Amino acid sequence: MNDGEAHHTAWIRFYGDLNDFLKPEGRDKAQQYEFVNPATLLSAIEGLGIPHPEVYMLTANGEPQPFGHIIRGGDRIAVYPRQQSLGVAGLKPIAPPDPVPATFVCDVNLGKLANLLRLLGFDTIYENHLDDPELADISVRDGRILLTRDRKLLMRREVRRGRYVRNTDPEQQAREIIAYYNLAPQALAFSRCTICNGLLEPTDNPEVLEKVPQRSRENCSEFLACTRCERVYWQGDHYRDLEKTCKRLLD
């Protein structure tokens, strides 16, 4: 800042898991935000490292405001995540509503998470060649929730729905997303292909069942085929393990 310019200070406090993005010394307390030129709430929030899709409610001096609101010196700003929404009476969420049923697009780092979400029946796009503009475009075009480990991707202005996935272990990532979006009531395990995301339907087509080992054809009576890639699924030796995985994720 230049000495000849008017300096202004506002105070911003982040609640809940929005503190994950802050340095330890700035967490769970109001911190000073100094500025000279007019600043919007959006520029201030993201300037402090918080991706805007993670913000659920937003106030300045106790009044709800949009991201484009211009900050004034002396303002006291409160920024709330989804988990804090029940404790803030009378405020309308600034975040857009989630798609119902929930649909997702995952970045290149989240292939195993995408597989688990598909196992639980959630429509999840994942292709390891998609770049950031393509991922953002899919999220906006289809109204999908963008899941990513890339904070800059989530900060792209066009993105409206998204989550920075905190965990690094795939099962913990899945549990995080299920809890965050309250997905357990929507889960329909074994209804979607984990490879291509296509829907599964019962089949007794002999040509399709030719892909199944003879021993499995003799021991199983029900088969599901992907309507997109024609991959065949049945209750083989691995089925019980997958059932246990689903139970762990949804408990």
Side-chain angles (χ1 to χ4, degrees):
M1 295 183 183
N2 297 324
D3 292 338
E5 297 177 320
H7 299 177
H8 304 284
T9 301
W11 284 264
I12 305 179
R13 177 165 180 173
F14 297 95
Y15 289 83
D17 69 358
L18 296 180
N19 285 279
D20 295 345
F21 298 105
L22 302 176
K23 294 179 179 179
E25 61 270 21
R27 294 173 182 168
D28 296 313
K29 63 182 180 182
Q31 54 183 298
Q32 290 186 358
Y33 176 74
E34 297 185 357
F35 59 100
V36 175
N37 297 320
T40 64
L41 288 174
L42 175 62
S43 63
I45 289 167
E46 292 207 324
L48 293 170
I50 314 297
H52 67 272
E54 295 258 348
V55 175
Y56 198 67
M57 291 178 175
L58 185 60
T59 67
N61 306 315
E63 296 295 326
Q65 299 292 351
F67 281 123
H69 176 75
I70 302 297
I71 301 174
R72 297 169 297 179
D75 278 355
R76 292 191 172 272
I77 298 157
V79 188
Y80 300 97
R82 175 186 298 263
Q83 302 98 315
Q84 299 290 120
S85 61
L86 294 178
V88 186
L91 288 186
K92 183 179 179 181
I94 197 170
D98 297 332
V100 180
T103 58
F104 300 95
V105 54
C106 292
D107 77 6
V108 67
N109 301 301
L110 298 176
K112 291 182 179 179
L113 170 60
N115 184 287
L116 291 172
L117 290 173
R118 290 171 178 175
L119 176 65
L120 295 173
F122 294 103
D123 181 352
T124 305
I125 290 178
Y126 170 79
E127 297 178 26
N128 60 15
H129 62 80
L130 295 174
D131 60 18
D132 286 3
E134 290 171 317
L135 290 165
D137 180 66
I138 290 169
S139 175
V140 174
R141 184 192 68 210
D142 298 346
R144 292 176 179 270
I145 298 167
L146 174 59
L147 302 179
T148 180
R149 290 277 299 164
D150 181 349
R151 200 187 312 189
K152 289 184 179 179
L153 169 57
L154 205 55
M155 286 183 177
R156 292 181 69 94
R157 291 298 175 93
E158 65 269 34
V159 176
R160 300 187 66 212
R161 299 174 177 87
R163 167 80 172 170
Y164 177 85
V165 181
R166 271 62 163 179
N167 287 283
T168 56
D169 174 77
E171 282 203 20
Q172 291 302 317
Q173 289 174 340
R175 290 172 66 88
E176 173 189 334
I177 298 306
I178 291 162
Y180 186 76
Y181 291 104
N182 189 28
L183 297 180
Q186 298 182 38
L188 190 59
F190 305 107
S191 64
R192 193 170 288 274
C193 178
T194 58
I195 305 302
C196 79
N197 196 42
L199 289 171
L200 303 182
E201 292 185 352
T203 184
D204 56 5
N205 185 330
E207 293 183 5
V208 173
L209 296 183
E210 282 296 322
K211 302 176 182 179
V212 179
Q214 182 175 350
R215 178 174 174 272
S216 297
R217 291 202 303 269
E218 293 171 351
N219 294 333
C220 299
S221 59
E222 296 182 359
F223 300 89
L224 299 173
C226 176
T227 55
R228 181 178 298 170
C229 71
E230 297 186 347
R231 184 182 178 87
V232 184
Y233 294 80
W234 63 93
Q235 294 186 13
D237 295 337
H238 65 297
Y239 178 77
R240 298 303 176 194
D241 291 336
L242 293 177
E243 274 193 322
K244 291 178 182 178
T245 298
C246 292
K247 186 176 187 304
R248 284 198 305 273
L249 297 178
L250 295 174
D251 278 347

